[in-house]
């Protein structure tokens, strides 16, 4: 099959104005070892400030663990004096940072970059497994090591460095550029002290749909798939809901146990849920389908039967089998079920009166929060009837049948309680055929090469963009560097997180060029 690849891919975009900036920065400065060392040390210094967020932190001003973020803000001001002098800088809710580079044309909607300054804990139990201490910010000439070096301080340092390099060349934008830096992206699904407040500020300032486009972190790097380099900006992200299942039964002494304790019954429930997964579907609105089609048309080494399955029958059994065969691929087309936290029992000689499990779901684009709840009721209502449990399903109560637990040696019915926390529907889907996606894709190809195939993807997790959905219809999530620069692959959220300095330079170059390209183009 011979295809015109440019028919399916947008053309390369390079900035046309100010070629002196290209010659000075892109062609010379970004290639120099001194520049690499400079930005590596900037990131290393950022890593050394342990801006950790934990689940369930109290509001800013009430929890002393937020105090370290003052030190981080002071570090940025010291590291980027030119940025702080030229841009309007604001603090939102003490630790959220908002940088505004005011453009000369007020009729142009702003471009928004997003990042976050917080990191996940390094974990005391794994501290000895790190090659270098997790907050050492060690730089060995090739990698910057430490928690947050990749997620997400690298993006923040790269953005501010790109702006700093443009300021050195006296670049003045036509289009306003905004950088919004949250501080609790890692802090748990129900926490919203940073990005929510930043989004509210921007909404009040620019209104709904007041931003041209939004770019945030996402899939790490340019990935090699099917013998081809792909850049995969996520144009949508899955929904989210946590479900707690609680079993309650009368207690007693362990010397005379029933056939099933509360923990035993809970084990049955967990097995039932895990054995009845949500249905995999690849619907037209899912950007993963667009990626697969682009891969089938343009990749170098996709197996022929898979290529045929994608191009001839997009909903074919063969294609779904391929997607389901790998958990990373499966996550793109199915609502996931992850049994993450379990609690039950107080003492070995005392029957547990309560046992509970917390189950996380990332909701596929074809499903909803209500679909998840209905799935639980359909599976567990018959089970509750069988074992004579009263069922409280998300606030709706059903009585027990009063016929089974006597056989279990218990004189009273038990309770099965289902509760949902933090309900988030899947995001709107940004249109990959929109001109603004072509601006992004053209810039990516200009930075990483015309052989890179740019295709939209689904993000299985959630970023801070969940608070920004109504600010722009075009939201993209991607960390712009080649994953191949680290042969060990991405290490975010685990031991020995590190960032290749070559990747960091690529990020600076991307932000530098994307600012210039978007400043020149018009809808």
């Amino acid at each position: 099959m011979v295809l015109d690849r440019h028919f399916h891919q947008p053309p390369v975009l390079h900035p046309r104005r100010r070629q002196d900036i290209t010659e000075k920065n892109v062609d010379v400065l970004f290639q120099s070892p001194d520049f690499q060392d400079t930005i590596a040390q900037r990131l290393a210094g950022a890593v050394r400030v342990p801006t950790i967020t934990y689940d369930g932190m109290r509001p800013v001003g009430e929890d002393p663990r937020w105090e370290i973020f003052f030190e981080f803000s002071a570090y940025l001001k010291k590291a980027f004096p030119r940025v702080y002098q030229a841009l309007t800088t604001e603090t939102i809710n003490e630790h959220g940072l908002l940088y505004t580079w005011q453009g000369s044309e007020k009729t142009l909607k702003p471009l928004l970059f997003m990042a976050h300054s917080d990191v996940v804990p390094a974990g005391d139990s794994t501290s000895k497994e790190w090659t270098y201490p997790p907050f050492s910010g060690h730089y060995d000439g090739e990698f910057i090591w430490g928690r947050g070096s990749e997620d997400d301080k690298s993006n923040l340092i790269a953005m501010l460095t790109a702006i700093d390099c443009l300021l050195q060349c006296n670049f003045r934008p036509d289009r306003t550029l905004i950088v919004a830096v949250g501080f609790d992206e890692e802090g748990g699904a129900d926490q919203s002290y940073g990005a929510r407040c930043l989004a509210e500020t921007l909404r009040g300032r620019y209104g709904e749909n007041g931003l041209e486009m939004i770019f945030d972190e996402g899939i790490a790097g340019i990935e090699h798939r099917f013998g081809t380099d792909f850049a995969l900006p996520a144009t949508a992200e899955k929904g989210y809901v946590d479900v707690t299942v609680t079993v309650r039964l009368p207690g007693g002494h362990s010397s005379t146990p029933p056939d099933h304790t509360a923990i035993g019954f809970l084990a049955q429930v967990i097995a039932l849920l895990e054995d009845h997964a949500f249905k995999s579907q690849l619907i037209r609105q899912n950007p993963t389908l667009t990626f697969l089609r682009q891969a089938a048309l343009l990749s170098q080494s996709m197996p022929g039967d898979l290529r045929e399955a994608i191009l001839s029958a997009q909903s074919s059994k063969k294609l779904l089998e391929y997607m389901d065969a790998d958990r990373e691929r499966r996550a793109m087309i199915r609502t996931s079920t992850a049994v993450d936290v379990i609690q039950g029992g107080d003492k070995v000689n005392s029957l547990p009166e309560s046992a509970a499990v917390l189950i996380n779901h990332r909701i596929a684009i074809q499903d909803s929060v209500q679909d998840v709840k209905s799935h639980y009721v359909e599976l567990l209502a018959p089970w509750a009837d069988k074992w004579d449990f009263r069922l409280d399903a998300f606030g709706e109560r059903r009585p027990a049948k009063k016929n089974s637990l006597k056989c279990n040696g218990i004189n009273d019915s038990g309770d099965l309680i289902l509760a949902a926390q933090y309900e988030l529907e899947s995001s709107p889907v940004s249109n990959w055929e929109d001109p603004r996606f072509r601006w992004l894709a053209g810039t990516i190809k200009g930075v990483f090469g015309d052989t890179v195939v740019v295709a939209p993807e689904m993000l299985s997790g959630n970023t801070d963009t969940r608070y920004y959905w109504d600010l722009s219809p075009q939201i993209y999530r991607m960390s712009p560097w080649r994953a191949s620069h680290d042969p060990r692959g991405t290490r975010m959220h685990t031991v020995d997180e590190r960032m290749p300095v070559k990747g960091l330079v690529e990020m600076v170059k991307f932000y530098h060029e994307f600012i210039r390209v978007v400043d020149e183009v018009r809808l």
Side-chain angles (χ1 to χ4, degrees):
M1 180 177 2
V2 179
L3 295 163
D4 178 3
R5 67 187 315 278
H6 293 285
F7 179 79
H8 303 282
Q9 286 283 290
V12 171
L13 282 180
H14 291 294
R16 296 181 179 181
R17 304 175 190 163
R18 294 292 306 272
Q19 288 305 301
D20 60 306
I21 295 179
T22 302
E23 294 167 1
K24 180 179 179 180
N25 289 347
V26 179
D27 297 341
V28 177
L29 178 64
F30 296 166
Q31 311 300 322
S32 70
D34 287 345
F35 179 75
Q36 293 186 16
D37 288 344
T38 296
I39 60 172
Q41 293 300 339
R42 283 176 177 168
L43 178 56
V47 169
R48 293 185 190 114
V49 186
T51 48
I52 302 170
T53 52
Y54 302 88
D55 291 349
M57 288 178 71
R58 298 190 304 279
V60 175
E62 297 179 15
D63 195 321
R65 291 175 291 182
W66 294 118
E67 297 298 310
I68 190 66
F69 286 84
F70 288 118
E71 183 178 333
F72 186 76
S73 298
Y75 170 76
L76 292 179
K77 189 172 184 178
K78 181 179 179 180
F80 296 97
R82 197 170 5 247
V83 172
Y84 276 76
Q85 182 178 5
L87 275 62
T88 300
T89 58
E90 303 167 81
T91 56
I92 307 297
N93 197 19
E94 297 291 348
H95 305 301
L97 302 175
L98 197 60
Y99 303 85
T100 303
W101 199 359
Q102 187 63 48
S104 59
E105 295 188 22
K106 295 183 179 181
T107 58
L108 296 177
K109 292 182 179 181
L111 167 65
L112 173 66
F113 289 158
M114 294 176 60
H116 63 88
S117 58
D118 60 312
V119 302
V120 298
D124 293 337
S125 62
T126 59
S127 59
K128 294 182 180 180
E129 299 178 25
W130 288 73
T131 302
Y132 304 100
F135 294 102
S136 65
H138 180 81
Y139 174 51
D140 61 8
E142 185 176 6
F143 298 98
I144 303 95
W145 298 73
R147 177 63 79 232
S149 56
E150 181 182 346
D151 183 16
D152 181 40
K153 292 180 178 178
S154 56
N155 271 302
L156 175 56
I157 294 301
M159 291 171 186
L160 296 181
T161 297
I163 293 170
D164 185 63
C165 291
L166 289 169
L167 287 171
Q168 290 186 60
C169 295
N170 295 314
F171 177 81
R172 294 293 181 266
D174 293 341
R175 185 188 302 274
T176 296
L177 172 68
I178 304 166
V179 180
V181 186
F183 60 90
D184 61 350
E185 197 268 353
E186 308 284 11
D190 59 345
Q191 202 161 282
S192 56
Y193 306 129
R196 177 181 59 80
C197 297
L198 286 161
E200 288 174 356
T201 299
L202 293 172
R203 194 174 296 110
R205 193 167 293 172
Y206 299 101
E208 293 187 5
N209 195 24
L211 304 179
E212 193 70 83
M213 57 196 302
I214 299 172
F215 189 90
D216 194 14
E217 63 169 333
I219 295 171
I222 311 298
E223 298 189 0
H224 197 71
R225 302 182 183 181
F226 306 117
T228 304
D229 284 336
F230 283 89
L232 302 168
T235 55
E237 58 187 51
K238 297 175 77 173
Y240 183 110
V241 66
D242 290 327
V243 176
T244 301
V245 181
T246 304
V247 173
R248 291 179 180 167
L249 285 172
H253 200 282
S254 295
S255 61
T256 55
D259 293 337
H260 304 289
T261 68
I263 293 175
F265 277 123
L266 186 63
Q268 292 184 28
V269 169
I270 293 171
L272 191 62
L273 291 167
E274 288 195 332
D275 289 344
H276 292 81
F278 288 84
K279 182 180 179 181
S280 295
Q281 289 182 271
L282 192 51
I283 64 173
R284 183 178 300 275
Q285 293 90 339
N286 191 330
T288 301
L289 183 59
T290 303
F291 157 70
L292 289 170
R293 185 163 179 80
Q294 291 289 291
L297 292 169
L298 302 174
S299 64
Q300 300 299 311
S301 60
M302 177 179 283
D305 57 345
L306 176 60
R307 195 187 303 268
E308 181 66 22
I310 294 169
L311 295 179
S312 63
Q314 296 171 359
S315 60
S316 68
K317 180 180 178 182
K318 174 72 176 178
L319 181 54
L320 285 177
E321 287 176 351
Y322 166 75
M323 296 300 292
D324 275 339
D326 175 87
R327 69 176 186 174
E328 297 288 339
R329 296 195 296 264
R330 184 177 64 204
M332 299 296 102
I333 62 170
R334 179 191 295 183
T335 295
S336 60
T337 300
V339 178
D340 289 328
V341 181
I342 191 165
Q343 296 174 330
D346 299 308
K347 203 172 187 300
V348 73
N349 64 347
S350 177
L351 296 176
E353 296 180 324
S354 178
V357 63
L358 180 62
I359 305 173
N360 174 247
H361 298 280
R362 305 302 173 107
I363 303 172
I365 195 169
Q366 69 270 11
D367 295 328
S368 66
V369 172
Q370 184 57 51
D371 289 332
V372 174
K373 293 179 179 180
S374 298
H375 181 76
Y376 271 78
V377 174
E378 289 170 7
L379 281 178
L380 297 182
W383 182 92
D385 288 344
K386 173 184 176 181
W387 292 104
D388 206 18
F389 273 80
R390 292 179 292 265
L391 176 62
D392 184 339
F394 310 105
E396 183 177 340
R397 298 179 182 273
R398 295 176 43 167
K401 286 192 172 181
K402 298 287 184 184
N403 60 7
S404 298
L405 284 181
K406 292 179 182 178
C407 298
N408 197 39
I410 300 174
N411 294 321
D412 190 19
S413 298
D415 291 293
L416 179 65
I417 304 168
L418 311 178
Q421 299 87 37
Y422 191 71
E423 303 175 9
L424 179 70
E425 303 293 351
S426 59
S427 76
V429 181
S430 297
N431 182 8
W432 80 285
E433 295 180 311
D434 187 275
R436 288 162 287 193
F437 186 87
R438 293 197 292 272
W439 301 348
L440 172 63
T443 304
I444 290 172
K445 295 169 80 68
V447 171
F448 294 97
D450 193 21
T451 58
V452 172
V453 176
V454 185
E457 183 62 290
M458 169 69 73
L459 194 65
S460 58
N462 297 110
T463 71
D464 273 342
T465 55
R466 62 187 181 272
Y467 300 107
Y468 292 71
W469 290 348
D470 62 349
L471 283 168
S472 176
Q474 296 300 307
I475 302 177
Y476 310 117
R477 309 154 183 90
M478 175 185 151
S479 294
W481 60 282
R482 289 183 185 273
S484 59
H485 286 316
D486 191 344
R488 293 169 57 178
T490 178
R491 304 284 298 176
M492 66 170 64
H493 288 214
T494 190
V495 171
D496 274 352
E497 181 177 350
R498 64 183 187 177
M499 183 69 203
V501 68
K502 289 182 179 179
L504 186 60
V505 171
E506 286 178 335
M507 295 171 83
V508 173
K509 182 178 178 181
F510 167 80
Y511 289 117
H512 182 276
E513 296 299 88
F514 195 43
I515 292 168
R516 297 174 67 199
V517 166
V518 176
D519 200 60
E520 294 178 10
V521 293
R522 304 288 187 270
L523 283 178

